Structures are given as C-alpha cells and as structure tokens.
Amino acid sequence: MLHIINKSPLTNGALDSCLRVAQSGDILLIEDAVVAATTGNASAAKLKEAMGRCKVYVLQPDLDARGFGDRLLEGVSPVDYGGFVELTASNKNCQSWL
Amino acid sequence: MANIEVDGKSYETDEEGYLVDLTTWNADVANYIAKVENIDMTEQHWEVINFLREYFEEYQIAPAVRVLTKAIGKKLGADKGTSEYLYGLFPYGPGKQACKIAGLPKPTGCV
Amino acid sequence: MSDMKKFMFVNRKAPYGTIYALESLEVVLITAAFDQDVSLVFLDDGVYQLKKGQQTKGIETKNFSPAYRALEGYDIEKLYVEKESMEARGLSEEDLLVDVTVLSRAEMGELMDQQDVVLSF
C-alpha cells in the first residue's frame, strides 16, 4: 500500500506513526514532509532504517520549492507529479497520515 | 429558522421544523408537531416516540431507520420491529417524522 | 457477498480540538447503511476519542462519545486500537468506553494493507 505524509517530522508525529505501523509498501513524502528526506535532518536516520522495509519517494517539486533540490537523502527516489499519480494507481490502497 | 407557538410559549425550529433546542421538548410540543404532520398520536405512536427519546438520551444520536426498526423489534416485540408497522404509524418515515415529533435532530444520513 | 468491500476508517485525532473525530463518526454512521465490511482504527491521539467519562458541558460542545456505543447496533463491530498509542497515553482497555481489539504495530500495519479503501481522519 501507499503511505502519504505531508507534515514536517519536526512539528508533527505523522511520519513517526507511519514508520511505526507500515510493514511494507511505498512511502511518499510531499509538501512539508519532504524535509524528512534531506541530508542532516533529524529524521534522516529513521527514514534510512525504514528503507529496509519500504520504498521511500519524495515529490521533487516540493523539494525544489523549499531549496532542498540538491540535498536529497541517498536511497530516496524523487518523483514528479506524474510519478505521484503512478504511485496512487499502482498501489491497491492508500493511507494519508493527515 | 422559524418559531412555533404552543400554549403561548414559543419554540425555535429549523427550516425543516426540527426543534433547535432539544431540552425545550415536551408532550404538548410533540402533539403540536404531530398535528402539523397530520398524525393522530396514539399509544402506539407514543411507544415509538418514547423509545426514540430514550435512544437519544443514551447515545446522543437519532438512530438510522434500519437501526431503529431492529431495536424496536427487540424492545417492543418482533411484530413492531418492521418497516410496515413503523411507516404505518409515520408515513413520512420513522426517521424523519418520528424524530421531529420526538424533538430530536434528523438522523445522520437521512436526506 | 462478492461485492462487499473492506473499508477502514483511520482515526488519529483527539476529539473537540478539531472536527476530524466527529466528521469521521458521521461518515461511519452513513457508511453503515451500505452493508460493507467496516473497520474502525484508533491510532495516536485518536485513542482519546474512546476515553470514558467525557464531560463537555464546560466547553459548550456536544459530547458525541456515547455514539461509539451505538455502533454495535449499526452492525459495526470491528474496532481496533493500537497498543503503543494507547500505552503512550497512559490508557488501558478499562479506560475505553467500548470493547476494542488491541493490536500491535505490526498487526495494525497488516490489517491496513488488507483494506480495499482506507479513509483517513
């Protein structure tokens, strides 16, 4: 399944909750959540650890918009809006961690 | 918003005729709303109205018709737990019409 | 029934501070009319929705917690709480106003995977 996060992990527990529960599948970081996948962010280690179980994606336009286009964490796959749509279509279901 | 007058007292209702303040409900208001709805209140009608009041008191929601029908069957006997019986008493629907007379909000999911 | 779908409502917000909990409950009550396989999940602060003894007079807001006890009458009987969410809030099953099934984080993840539709609140 696809898990979508849109809040910064430094102000909101959504990413932590998702990583706690999700056993497999895809995780897509969008909007303010993209910072979780940037080098030096406090959540980077947690995200690295989750990559053993899940595939992690980040929405590139949101990363670029925040000036982090060149700070993407290794192992995270960038997608554009088309890729976002493909992820929602290729997964059976989806949970938005509001 | 609208108002109904019963025995010189004014009660606020919404545009569909449901009481706005559920705590202001009493038997006189129920009889008045029933009359407007063209219903002659009998003992059988009151059984359902009282049941609805108790249900709301306990769960703070007006039950969906399906739920009400089942619960009435359990409480008042299987012969009364049917849509035929309840629609016979309240032709415009035991949810909509009976809840209005009972002073409850319109059931969630009822259009 | 072959056209029966598995619907899961994921509740992660405390009641009263935001409208999410009440909105979710209303959608659940409406969904009950469609005879589907409905599960309710309480995760994170969503567990607070089920806390016994809510008294809302002082904040002049409707206490909708009694409605969770009506769910059984709506044939919605699959209520799940995640263990760690409950424990992190100092709560146990005795603090909750309905019977629930307590799941580990892994069990919760698996249950979520099995759904046809997940509605997030």
Side-chain angles (χ1 to χ4, degrees):
Chain A
M1 82 181 287
L2 174 64
H3 297 270
I4 300 178
I5 322 279
N6 75 338
K7 304 283 196 308
S8 166
L10 300 173
T11 58
N12 183 290
L15 179 65
D16 283 340
S17 297
C18 170
L19 298 183
R20 191 174 75 233
V21 170
Q23 300 301 302
S24 58
D26 297 330
I27 297 173
L28 172 62
L29 307 169
I30 64 169
E31 299 168 16
D32 290 348
V34 296
V35 297
T38 57
T39 54
N41 188 280
S43 292
K46 267 185 278 186
L47 212 54
K48 279 259 184 216
E49 190 263 326
M51 285 181 209
R53 296 173 279 128
C54 303
K55 190 152 170 48
V56 180
Y57 299 86
V58 64
L59 190 64
Q60 185 77 43
D62 278 329
L63 206 57
D64 293 338
R66 288 159 181 78
F68 280 94
D70 57 352
R71 295 268 302 262
L72 183 59
L73 201 65
E74 207 191 316
V76 177
S77 311
V79 292
D80 56 12
Y81 288 107
F84 186 165
V85 174
E86 272 169 39
L87 279 173
T88 58
S90 63
N91 276 279
K92 182 190 169 208
N93 59 11
C94 170
Q95 152 75 352
S96 290
W97 295 83
L98 302 171
Chain B
M1 291 288 179
N3 280 292
I4 53 174
E5 292 275 336
V6 183
D7 291 334
K9 261 194 85 180
S10 181
Y11 299 87
E12 202 179 342
T13 64
D14 67 12
E15 63 278 4
E16 292 180 276
Y18 291 83
L19 274 191
V20 170
D21 182 357
L22 314 184
T23 62
T24 59
W25 181 91
N26 57 49
D28 294 335
V29 176
N31 280 317
Y32 179 89
I33 298 173
K35 205 184 241 169
V36 175
E37 296 277 322
N38 270 320
I39 287 178
D40 281 326
M41 292 293 284
T42 65
E43 207 179 300
Q44 284 75 36
H45 289 91
W46 276 109
E47 255 182 0
V48 177
I49 298 301
N50 290 331
F51 180 88
L52 278 170
R53 298 281 307 174
E54 283 164 27
Y55 187 97
F56 189 84
E57 177 65 29
E58 183 163 0
Y59 300 119
Q60 298 297 305
I61 51 171
V65 178
R66 183 175 63 91
V67 177
L68 172 71
T69 310
K70 206 168 76 178
I72 289 264
K74 244 189 217 165
K75 179 97 190 275
L76 304 175
D79 54 324
K80 295 182 176 174
T82 68
S83 334
E84 290 78 14
Y85 177 77
L86 292 172
Y87 274 88
L89 294 174
F90 303 99
Y92 283 94
K96 260 177 161 165
Q97 211 168 25
C99 282
K100 194 186 278 189
I101 297 168
L104 305 186
K106 200 156 90 167
T108 301
C110 199
V111 281
Chain C
M1 220 198 295
S2 59
D3 56 352
M4 177 107 76
K5 283 199 173 187
K6 288 168 104 77
F7 282 76
M8 174 183 278
F9 290 82
V10 181
N11 299 289
R12 294 184 50 244
K13 303 273 197 280
Y16 313 118
T18 60
I19 197 77
Y20 286 96
L22 178 58
E23 291 284 313
S24 172
L25 181 62
E26 296 209 328
V27 180
V28 166
L29 291 173
I30 293 165
T31 309
F34 298 102
D35 272 331
Q36 301 293 317
D37 179 344
V38 175
S39 302
L40 268 61
V41 155
F42 299 87
L43 260 179
D44 299 326
D45 281 353
V47 177
Y48 286 133
Q49 295 175 24
L50 301 181
K51 175 73 175 65
K52 268 182 194 162
Q54 298 176 30
Q55 301 284 346
T56 60
K57 239 195 196 109
I59 58 169
E60 295 183 19
T61 302
K62 183 187 164 83
N63 175 8
F64 53 87
S65 67
Y68 293 104
R69 290 191 289 104
L71 290 173
E72 201 183 354
Y74 281 72
D75 296 323
I76 293 173
E77 288 160 335
K78 295 179 179 176
L79 274 61
Y80 302 97
V81 167
E82 192 227 6
K83 191 161 182 277
E84 286 176 49
S85 300
M86 187 168 74
E87 287 174 351
R89 285 156 186 82
L91 300 173
S92 67
E93 281 182 76
E94 289 78 64
D95 294 307
L96 307 182
L97 47 77
V98 280
D99 287 336
V100 299
T101 304
V102 178
L103 299 180
S104 70
R105 52 162 99 174
E107 289 169 325
M108 184 61 84
E110 279 161 28
L111 188 68
M112 216 178 251
D113 281 342
Q114 292 163 12
Q115 304 300 314
D116 293 305
V117 182
V118 179
L119 294 123
S120 315
F121 290 90

